[in-house]
Amino acid sequence: MTDYGYKNIFSFREEKFLGTYGLEYVYHHMYPQIVETQGAYTIHTDPDSRLYRIHEGALFINGKYFFSPRLSAEAGLRYSGTAQFGKFNYHTYRQGEIIDTQTYGKGELIKFYGGFEPRIALYFLPGSNQRISLSYNLTRQYIGQVSSSSIGFPTDFWMPASRNIPPQRAHSFSAGYSIALNQDNYEFSSELYYKRLHNQMESAGALIDMISQQYIIEDKIYIGGGYNYGMELMLRKNRGRLTGWIGYALGWAYRHTAQINDGKPYPAKQDRRHDLSIVANYRINRRWDCSAVFVYATGNALTMPESMYLVGENAVCEYGPHNGGRMPAYHRLDLSANYWISKKKNTEQVINISLYNAYNRNNPAYLAVDIIQDKDKNGKKDQLIIRKRGKSIYGIIPSISYSFKF
């Protein structure tokens, strides 16, 4: 995926009004998937890998008005759109053969989507150190990530809105409260949110489909809806030699499509019930400072095999509910220290020493399933059992770097 873009924002201010307006444009040059199969003697790249040429643009205006020192409102309106242009061929297959082809020439418009995206927010200050906020916004997303629920290596990929794939749309609502404590040394904030999602994408393709000549990526994507909701809490220390924050999020994310789980909602791959982060920064003296970061998150949802049986010499899996399983929880500790050679107004020089995943946690990127024979009381191998093993990519990683700014 290669992007070329331009963005420009203008701002103006009057007595009680602060406004911005502007435009943006991006040209996306995309291959969502490039399929390559390797045989005994040859490597074959699918000649029908098709290039998506997508133009995306938007005009927007936003303004904030202060009714009083304690009450203000912010509203904005954005019009966005996307267009797919040729050269592109849409094939229709039947029993492995092409029965129809619709060809679009170079520069020919294939499909256009567009719409308005309003947003509004209200801010109220009940006291000099408190703030309450309410907001709503409608957003449109013209490039989305397609998720796979399998236990294999991560195969998520990006897919643009096209002739057969509508753009994603979301209605978001949130309510927040924050308060400064102990003369602004500490700050506590909380937020409740709900998001309604439309035209969400879910992968329906299998590996064997990608190898076949009649593989059409748009036919292997299910379109459905979904919703997210939850809360976020944060306590921050802003001043002193020791600074940092503790953040915690409790959330739910569900999707539904007609083809999966009989149309009933199921957890999205990104559904994370708990998400905790703790960050601490400590200034030792003028030359030295150090930091520590700890993160914990519930594992991603995935579809797990519940049983296996043999047909001849081949193992066949019986899978459980869609996204009914979980990856192991993710957690790690990062440590770092900075030695400041110089730190002036216009120049900085610093040496950083860091340790990523300090206690070498094995955080699996994917799961592997093994079939092993189990022994009975007499030591005979009489049954097969399924064993799941997590496969991680990174362990502990030390690093040292030197940087300067001028």
Side-chain angles (χ1 to χ4, degrees), residues 228-254:
N228 302 345
Y229 63 93
M231 70 171 185
E232 297 178 355
L233 304 173
M234 176 174 286
L235 177 63
R236 181 188 296 270
K237 187 177 186 297
N238 298 317
R239 298 176 181 176
R241 300 179 70 176
L242 176 64
T243 60
W245 68 85
I246 299 175
Y248 172 72
L250 175 66
W252 290 261
Y254 288 94

Side-chain angles (χ1 to χ4, degrees), residues 191-206:
E191 183 178 50
L192 299 174
Y193 67 89
Y194 175 82
K195 182 179 290 187
R196 189 71 184 183
L197 307 168
H198 302 272
N199 299 331
Q200 300 299 291
M201 295 182 288
E202 187 89 11
S203 174

Side-chain angles (χ1 to χ4, degrees), residues 133-145:
S133 62
L134 299 171
S135 68
Y136 161 79
N137 64 80
L138 166 63
T139 55
R140 302 175 188 272
Q141 183 171 319
Y142 299 108
I143 293 181
Q145 192 173 42

